[in-house]
């Protein structure tokens, strides 16, 4: 049977809704949670979260669980005080778990470290003492720009211990991106490394810091971890080696208890404008959300599980599910510095086999890459320790879900497809592996204590079988509190589209059984390999090049990365008519401005862009071109011939990279 591109999705939808993967009776028998949890949480969500907050040790108990009187600015566990680092470290040592492994670190070149809770606690105390010596105090912001190495986690926890909010900037971001983040949150201290190992060689980080700091006069200290041993430029009086100051410090440090709403960190994420948003997470509610979800969603057994979130610490997934959730639960985790194919394409499976990893959490892009490399590679390793598999960051297509389950999970492991965001802090929608029968491609239902809805344009809830916008209808403890320095933008971005509800920016469908399927972003945000990028941000980067007059960017679907960046560019007349070297220059320009992850897969040089009469670029039509589809309705264009001009120009001599 042949099918036109238009009817293909319908056929695959049908096929996927027929499949169900119920948990095995053995899994159900040992599961952490049972069905009753949903009813209990729904009956009184705030009381439910109070119960979850008991997972932590509070120096002062709260007097009010939730203050929503100044909505959408929430305060959770009002009046309560606690220290995040104490909750992630010292209390486990005090409870007799000092010898439990906190992290098995696997460096890309094959170097390893085993770090117990006692050792990690001592290292964090030393780092906190060192930061104090440098002058870091409660409330000061510290920027962290590091590879995935233990010192990154130590630095974050040392900041948390001091009540100094950190802002971790993903090591793949450019010096320009680092600079804007340092300035936006006004950090005066930066922690970095000479470099890290990626794809078999040392990849420098310090030069990007040096470049960024030429325009950040407020930064007085850069603490540098020696990881690769590569040459670094040194600014006397500003730069200090980590190994010269941290290990010499005392291994004890008295943690101060901070208010439940004390800022814990700022994480920048792309929005629909060119300027990234600093998402603020605070202390008590955030840690409660991370601790509960990591325990419930992964069915965590901290005494026996070996847990691995294969993500970079520089993203929210790394914050919530490498650092804060796992450590709050006294988990034993694996961290891996490098890329999945270094030195061979079986590296991940070798790590699973070596450490007997039982819970693995990663992005669909990685799974699709492994599918491409072939099932013979994981088949060479013993993966029988795995008992729960997780997926995060983008919708998982049913094919990848089934492959993951079959070739990695050997048809035994439940798959938890977790929907959440930098803003939500912790998982929001996921199946619970001992309760729910999984449907490939569906994130299923809101977690206990979380209320979501799918609404139409007017904010009305859609019936089963309908699609619309995903909203969260009640405050939750791990929610963002504001956008750093811009409370108006916080209200406007998340709470104005549907009054009284948090608008996530995602489309969703509720199937006939009421289960949720995520349909991707409905705004100008793209999702590349599970990483969020804004079209406007890349457009701004392109037009900052003197050759470019105008630029429009779209996310086109991509079989490997989910979406890929495709740019349409109008050159200034003095730039000539483009050509391969010009396209190359523009791609490099974007990498310099934002980072390699933002580089367009394709740059098309065009003479015009499709615009409405009010001047808005119609990205939908460009997306049709980028995905080689016939273009949709052009009647709202100011000039309906533009699409023909673009198509004709591209057909004649498209400049593509
Ligand atoms: O579009 C959704 C998608 O990723 C966005 C959040 O991106 P970010 O803040 O970078 O956080 C990524 C890690 C949590 C969401 O708005 N997304 C995330 N998880 C899923 C997803 N889309 C579908 N299914 C998921 N499981």
């Amino acid at each position: 049977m042949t099918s036109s591109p238009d009817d293909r999705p319908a056929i695959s939808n049908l096929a996927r809704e027929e499949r169900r993967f119920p948990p095995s009776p053995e899994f159900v028998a040992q599961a952490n949670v049972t069905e009753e949890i949903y009813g209990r949480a729904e009956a009184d969500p705030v009381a439910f979260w109070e119960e979850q907050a008991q997972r932590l040790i509070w120096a002062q108990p709260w007097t009010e669980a939730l203050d929503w009187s100044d909505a959408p600015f929430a305060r959770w566990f009002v009046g309560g005080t606690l220290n995040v680092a104490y909750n992630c470290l010292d209390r486990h040592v005090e409870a007799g778990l000092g010898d439990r492994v906190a992290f098995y670190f696997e460096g890309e070149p094959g170097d390893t470290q085993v770090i117990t809770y006692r050792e990690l606690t001592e290292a964090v105390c030393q780092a906190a003492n060192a930061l104090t010596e440098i002058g870091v105090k409660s409330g000061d912001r510290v920027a962290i720009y590091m590879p995935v190495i233990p010192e990154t986690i130590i630095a974050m926890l040392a900041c948390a211990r001091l009540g100094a909010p950190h802002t971790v900037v993903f090591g793949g971001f450019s010096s320009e991106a680092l600079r804007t983040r340092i300035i936006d949150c006004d950090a005066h201290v930066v922690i970095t490394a000479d470099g890290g190992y990626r794809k078999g060689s040392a990849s420098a980080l310090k030069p990007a810091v040096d470049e960024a700091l030429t325009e950040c006069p407020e930064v007085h200290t850069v603490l540098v971890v020696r990881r690769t041993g590569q040459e670094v430029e040194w600014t006397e009086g500003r730069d200090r080696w980590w190994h010269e100051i941290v290990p010499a410090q005392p291994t004890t440090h008295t943690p101060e208890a901070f208010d439940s709403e004390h800022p814990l960190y700022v994480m920048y994420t792309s929005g629909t404008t060119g300027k990234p948003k600093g998402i603020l997470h605070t202390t008590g509610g955030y840690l409660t959300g991370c601790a509960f979800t990591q325990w419930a969603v992964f069915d965590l057994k901290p005494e026996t599980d070996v847990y691995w979130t294969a993500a970079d610490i520089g993203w929210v997934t790394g914050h919530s599910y490498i650092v804060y959730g796992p450590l709050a639960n006294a988990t034993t985790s694996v961290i891996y510095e490098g890329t999945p194919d270094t030195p061979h394409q079986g590296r991940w499976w070798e790590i699973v086999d070596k450490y007997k990893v039982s819970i693995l959490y990663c992005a669909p892009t990685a799974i699709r890459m492994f599918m491409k490399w072939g099932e013979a590679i994981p088949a060479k390793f013993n993966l029988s320790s795995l008992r729960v598999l997780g997926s995060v960051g983008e919708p998982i297509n049913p094919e990848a879900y089934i492959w993951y389950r079959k070739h990695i999970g050997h048809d035994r492991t439940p798959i938890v497809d977790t929907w959440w965001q930098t803003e939500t802090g912790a998982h929001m929608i996921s199946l619970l592996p001992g309760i729910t029968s999984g449907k490939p491609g569906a994130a299923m239902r809101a977690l206990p204590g979380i209320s979501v809805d799918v609404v139409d344009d007017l904010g009305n809830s859609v019936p089963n079988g309908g699609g619309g916008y995903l909203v969260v209808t009640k405050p939750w403890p791990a929610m963002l509190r504001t956008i750093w320095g811009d409370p108006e933008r916080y209200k406007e971005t998340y709470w104005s589209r549907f009054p009284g509800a948090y608008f996530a920016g995602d489309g969703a469908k509720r199937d006939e059984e009421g289960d949720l399927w995520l349909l991707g972003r409905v705004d100008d945000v793209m999702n590349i390999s599970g990483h969020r990028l804004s079209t406007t941000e890349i457009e701004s980067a392109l037009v900052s090049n003197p050759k470019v007059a105008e630029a429009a960017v779209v996310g086109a679907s991509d079989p490997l990365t989910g979406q890929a960046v495709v740019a349409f560019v109008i050159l200034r007349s003095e730039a000539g008519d483009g050509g391969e070297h010009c396209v190359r220059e523009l791609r490099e320009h974007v990498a310099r401005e934002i980072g390699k992850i933002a580089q367009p897969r394709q740059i098309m040089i065009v003479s015009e862009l499709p615009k409405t009469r009010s001047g808005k670029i119609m990205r939908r039509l460009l997306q049709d071109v980028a995905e080689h589809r016939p273009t949709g309705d052009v009647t709202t264009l100011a000039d309906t011939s533009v699409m023909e001009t673009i198509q004709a120009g591209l057909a004649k001599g498209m400049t593509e990279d």
Side-chain angles (χ1 to χ4, degrees):
M1 185 184 129
T2 56
S3 60
S4 75
D6 285 346
D7 60 23
R8 232 175 271 136
I11 287 171
S12 80
N13 264 348
L14 200 71
R16 63 192 189 187
E17 280 178 31
E18 278 167 7
R19 279 184 250 196
R20 297 279 189 289
F21 293 107
S24 66
E26 300 78 50
F27 197 99
V28 173
Q30 58 82 66
N32 284 354
V33 285
T34 54
E35 183 72 35
E36 64 75 42
I37 193 170
Y38 286 106
R40 187 154 51 86
E42 203 177 323
D44 190 344
V46 174
F48 173 80
W49 286 117
E50 285 192 273
E51 184 190 313
Q52 301 313 323
Q54 305 289 353
R55 296 174 181 276
L56 310 178
I57 300 216
W58 296 75
Q60 272 300 324
W62 57 91
T63 50
E64 191 186 359
L66 168 65
D67 176 5
W68 192 230
S69 59
D70 187 24
F73 299 95
R75 291 165 72 217
W76 279 90
F77 310 118
V78 182
T81 64
L82 71 168
N83 185 287
V84 166
Y86 174 81
N87 271 282
C88 289
L89 301 166
D90 314 46
R91 65 146 160 170
H92 303 316
V93 179
E94 287 166 14
L97 304 177
D99 293 331
R100 179 178 293 175
V101 173
F103 289 108
Y104 291 111
F105 166 66
E106 180 87 10
E108 197 189 76
D111 57 319
T112 59
Q113 284 182 53
V114 180
I115 307 166
T116 64
Y117 272 89
R118 178 176 299 104
E119 289 162 341
L120 190 62
T121 306
E122 291 178 357
V124 168
C125 288
Q126 288 179 316
N129 289 325
L131 289 178
T132 305
E133 190 180 298
I134 287 168
V136 175
K137 291 184 299 302
S138 154
D140 294 349
R141 276 79 61 202
V142 175
I144 299 178
Y145 186 66
M146 298 271 268
V148 177
I149 54 175
E151 286 84 350
T152 312
I153 298 169
I154 294 167
M156 289 165 74
L157 291 165
C159 289
R161 195 170 185 96
L162 297 175
H166 53 70
T167 185
V168 183
V169 180
F170 169 58
F173 276 128
S174 67
S175 61
E176 182 54 27
L178 176 62
R179 182 183 68 82
T180 53
R181 285 156 175 77
I182 291 174
I183 291 176
D184 189 76
C185 74
D186 194 24
H188 295 184
V189 171
V190 179
I191 306 178
T192 188
D194 48 0
Y197 290 100
R198 285 198 76 72
K199 299 188 170 70
S201 54
S203 161
L205 282 170
K206 177 79 169 29
V209 175
D210 292 334
E211 200 180 322
L213 295 191
T214 55
E215 289 174 60
C216 302
E218 303 291 342
V219 173
H220 57 75
T221 305
V222 179
L223 203 49
V224 188
V225 174
R226 187 147 72 195
R227 166 68 184 137
T228 58
Q230 63 202 116
E231 283 279 314
V232 288
E233 298 264 329
W234 206 251
T235 303
E236 284 306 331
R238 185 196 72 185
D239 298 348
R240 302 184 69 176
W241 283 114
W242 173 283
H243 63 260
E244 285 178 1
I245 154 161
V246 177
Q249 300 289 332
T251 54
T252 56
H253 172 271
T254 309
E256 186 185 331
F258 296 103
D259 190 273
S260 177
E261 285 301 332
H262 189 84
L264 178 62
Y265 69 81
V266 180
M267 157 119 309
Y268 285 85
T269 189
S270 297
T272 51
T273 70
K275 187 172 180 271
K277 302 174 285 195
I279 303 300
L280 175 69
H281 284 293
T282 59
T283 297
Y286 173 77
L287 198 61
T288 299
C290 292
F292 167 68
T293 52
Q294 198 237 355
W295 174 83
V297 171
F298 297 112
D299 189 53
L300 179 78
K301 307 285 189 287
E303 306 75 30
T304 46
D305 274 319
V306 178
Y307 171 90
W308 182 19
T309 291
D312 196 287
I313 300 172
W315 304 109
V316 76
T317 304
H319 282 48
S320 300
Y321 298 106
I322 294 179
V323 182
Y324 292 113
L327 292 174
N329 287 323
T331 310
T332 295
S333 296
V334 168
I335 50 170
Y336 171 55
E337 177 186 30
T339 46
D341 52 352
T342 308
H344 58 80
Q345 293 178 337
R347 185 71 190 268
W348 274 29
W349 317 121
E350 189 177 69
I351 292 173
V352 168
D353 190 348
K354 175 174 173 185
Y355 295 106
K356 302 291 164 234
V357 171
S358 54
I359 303 171
L360 174 67
Y361 190 35
C362 66
T365 292
I367 301 163
R368 288 191 292 265
M369 190 173 60
F370 297 131
M371 284 173 77
K372 209 170 88 184
W373 293 345
E375 66 227 34
I377 293 171
K380 286 190 220 143
F381 300 90
N382 181 353
L383 307 182
S384 61
S385 54
L386 288 169
R387 61 179 205 90
V388 178
L389 298 176
S391 170
V392 60
E394 49 184 320
I396 179 164
N397 49 314
E399 295 70 21
Y401 183 111
I402 306 264
W403 189 92
Y404 193 29
R405 207 187 128 91
K406 182 161 177 213
H407 296 290
I408 307 303
H410 298 144
D411 273 329
R412 287 179 301 106
T413 56
I415 298 208
V416 292
D417 174 12
T418 58
W419 179 89
W420 61 296
Q421 306 178 297
T422 305
E423 292 87 341
T424 70
H427 299 154
M428 302 293 276
I429 303 174
S430 169
L431 61 73
L432 287 173
I435 301 175
T436 331
S437 295
K439 295 179 189 175
M444 305 304 290
R445 67 199 264 203
L447 288 174
I450 301 294
S451 301
V452 303
D453 201 355
V454 180
V455 298
D456 63 18
D457 259 328
L458 299 173
N460 301 315
S461 189
V462 304
N464 284 359
Y469 305 100
L470 182 70
V471 293
V472 186
T473 53
K474 289 200 175 90
W476 65 104
M479 67 192 279
L480 77 165
R481 296 304 194 259
T482 188
I483 292 176
W484 186 259
D486 202 346
E488 276 310 309
R489 189 177 177 197
Y490 165 68
K491 282 204 269 191
E492 169 64 30
T493 309
Y494 303 107
W495 300 91
S496 66
R497 177 77 176 80
F498 301 106
Y502 168 87
F503 174 45
D506 280 35
K509 178 182 96 175
R510 197 190 265 130
D511 70 19
E512 294 299 344
E513 292 166 317
D515 293 321
L516 297 168
W517 300 69
L518 274 304
L519 301 176
R521 302 289 304 192
V522 295
D523 51 14
D524 292 334
V525 170
M526 297 170 289
N527 192 322
I528 318 291
S529 307
H531 300 142
R532 209 202 289 191
L533 288 168
S534 101
T535 53
T536 334
E537 205 178 343
I538 301 176
E539 285 164 6
S540 311
L542 283 166
V543 295
S544 73
N545 185 292
K547 288 204 166 119
V548 176
E550 235 184 307
V553 164
V554 295
S557 58
D558 184 279
L560 189 65
T561 57
Q563 283 191 305
V565 181
V566 176
F568 294 80
V569 168
I570 302 178
L571 295 177
R572 285 181 196 278
S573 50
E574 48 295 6
D577 60 355
E580 241 173 64
H581 73 278
C582 173
V583 168
R584 201 173 318 118
E585 179 189 323
L586 294 182
R587 294 186 79 236
E588 281 164 14
H589 179 77
V590 173
R592 234 182 355 262
E593 289 292 306
I594 306 174
K596 272 211 168 110
I597 47 162
Q599 271 187 334
R601 178 185 74 186
Q602 218 172 5
I603 293 183
M604 304 192 189
I605 307 292
V606 293
S607 56
E608 293 190 67
L609 289 170
K611 290 188 185 151
T612 59
R613 278 168 212 106
S614 60
K616 197 171 176 334
I617 292 172
M618 291 193 67
R619 291 202 180 74
R620 178 173 55 79
L621 297 178
L622 293 175
Q623 197 149 6
D624 290 338
V625 175
E627 293 179 354
H628 310 293
R629 275 195 307 261
T631 39
D633 184 8
V634 295
T635 48
T636 49
L637 282 181
D639 173 359
T640 49
S641 66
V642 168
M643 288 315 290
E644 284 160 32
T645 316
I646 291 178
Q647 297 278 20
L650 294 176
K652 203 154 67 193
M654 184 173 70
T655 309
E656 215 177 283
D657 195 345

